[in-house]
Amino acid sequence: MNNTTSIQNNKGKLQGKILQSPQRSFEVEGELFFEGQIVTQRLSDANDILPFTISEKLLKTYNIKLESGVDVCFGGELRSYNKVIDGKSRLILSFFVKEILPEEDFVDNSNQLSLTGFICKTPVFRTTPFNRQICDILLAVNRPSFNKSDYIPCILWGRNAKFIQGQKVGTKIELTGRMQSRMYRKEVSQGIFEQRTAYEVSCQKINVLSESQHQSQNLA
């Protein structure tokens, strides 16, 4: 398989303002990669601070300095990796930049993701104190050209949440949504809490695929 399949499974656009200039992070087969942060705005005017990863080769290709305050629009995909923090492995998400789009492609509130993958953990359904229905899933998205998968936490709301809770592990789905950040408090020891940031995909539309019948069900 070639990289085209990977792009179809996992593609997106991320537009906003650079908060943290990319800093050297890791090297793969002699190629340097940098990590930074971008601020994106929701329709509610709330902000998400999201991590991105970009290669040194791409920075040189576009001959651009991603300094704090610069407005940018990235094309790429959402990737995951495990990182050991305080002796424990944690799943880390980052938007992997494949192209830097020109200004004419800028659109207000452009934060879009399209993913195709498999539910790899039993969906977790809950109702908030305000009676809002929510369901969390973990989506395994194949990256065929690298013979691995990205594991992406997704959150669904309302009718989508109620429907997806009944789906089994291994169900193949397509979804569109946006990457978002969420602050939470984690108890690290008795009575001691840390404030942490979680990243997930907030699902807007979902298409549940039935491989046995080659049919699909669309939910708005």
Side-chain angles (χ1 to χ4, degrees), residues 148-184:
K148 65 172 295 183
S149 296
D150 293 292
Y151 296 91
I152 300 175
C154 303
I155 185 168
L156 299 94
W157 313 84
R159 189 161 63 97
N160 282 339
K162 192 172 182 179
F163 179 83
I164 205 68
Q165 70 167 323
Q167 300 301 311
K168 297 179 179 179
V169 170
T171 298
K172 186 177 183 180
I173 66 172
E174 298 172 327
L175 64 82
T176 57
R178 56 175 289 122
M179 185 181 180
Q180 66 181 28
S181 59
R182 172 174 53 85
M183 304 297 295
Y184 70 99

Side-chain angles (χ1 to χ4, degrees), residues 26-207:
F26 60 92
E27 184 175 333
V28 177
E29 297 180 353
E31 185 174 6
L32 289 176
F33 290 86
F34 296 77
E35 293 183 337
Q37 291 182 319
I38 183 173
V39 180
T40 66
Q41 191 176 57
R42 302 187 191 182
L43 292 175
S44 63
D45 288 334
N47 288 330
D48 288 301
I49 299 175
L50 305 174
F52 68 88
T53 303
I54 191 168
S55 69
E56 181 182 42
K57 182 179 179 180
L58 200 64
L59 288 172
K60 289 180 178 179
T61 298
Y62 285 92
N63 191 27
I64 185 173
K65 289 186 177 180
L66 299 179
E67 299 175 334
S68 178
V70 172
D71 290 311
V72 293
C73 186
F74 295 141
E77 60 188 37
L78 192 55
R79 292 189 178 181
S80 71
Y81 62 95
N82 290 311
K83 184 176 183 180
V84 177
I85 301 175
D86 298 328
K88 295 183 179 180
S89 180
R90 290 178 58 189
L91 183 70
I92 305 297
L93 290 185
S94 183
F95 189 87
F96 187 83
V97 180
K98 290 193 167 184
E99 58 180 334
I100 300 175
L101 301 173
E103 288 188 13
E104 52 264 32
D105 285 351
F106 286 21
V107 179
D108 289 342
N109 301 306
S110 181
N111 179 344
Q112 306 164 0
L113 288 168
S114 177
L115 304 172
T116 300
F118 299 86
I119 297 174
C120 59
K121 283 189 177 181
T122 302
V124 178
F125 180 85
R126 63 190 189 277
T127 303
T128 71
F130 297 101
N131 206 33
R132 192 173 190 190
Q133 296 172 322
I134 301 173
C135 192
D136 296 302
I137 62 171
L138 186 64
L139 195 67
V141 179
N142 292 334
R143 208 192 305 170
S145 58
F146 294 92
N147 194 29
K148 65 172 295 183
S149 296
D150 293 292
Y151 296 91
I152 300 175
C154 303
I155 185 168
L156 299 94
W157 313 84
R159 189 161 63 97
N160 282 339
K162 192 172 182 179
F163 179 83
I164 205 68
Q165 70 167 323
Q167 300 301 311
K168 297 179 179 179
V169 170
T171 298
K172 186 177 183 180
I173 66 172
E174 298 172 327
L175 64 82
T176 57
R178 56 175 289 122
M179 185 181 180
Q180 66 181 28
S181 59
R182 172 174 53 85
M183 304 297 295
Y184 70 99
R185 295 179 73 214
K186 172 74 173 180
E187 187 172 11
V188 293
S189 60
Q190 188 173 2
I192 300 177
F193 293 83
E194 283 184 358
Q195 184 162 296
R196 294 182 177 179
T197 303
Y199 302 102
E200 59 201 0
V201 174
S202 179
C203 178
Q204 297 163 344
K205 294 183 180 180
I206 185 171
N207 186 33

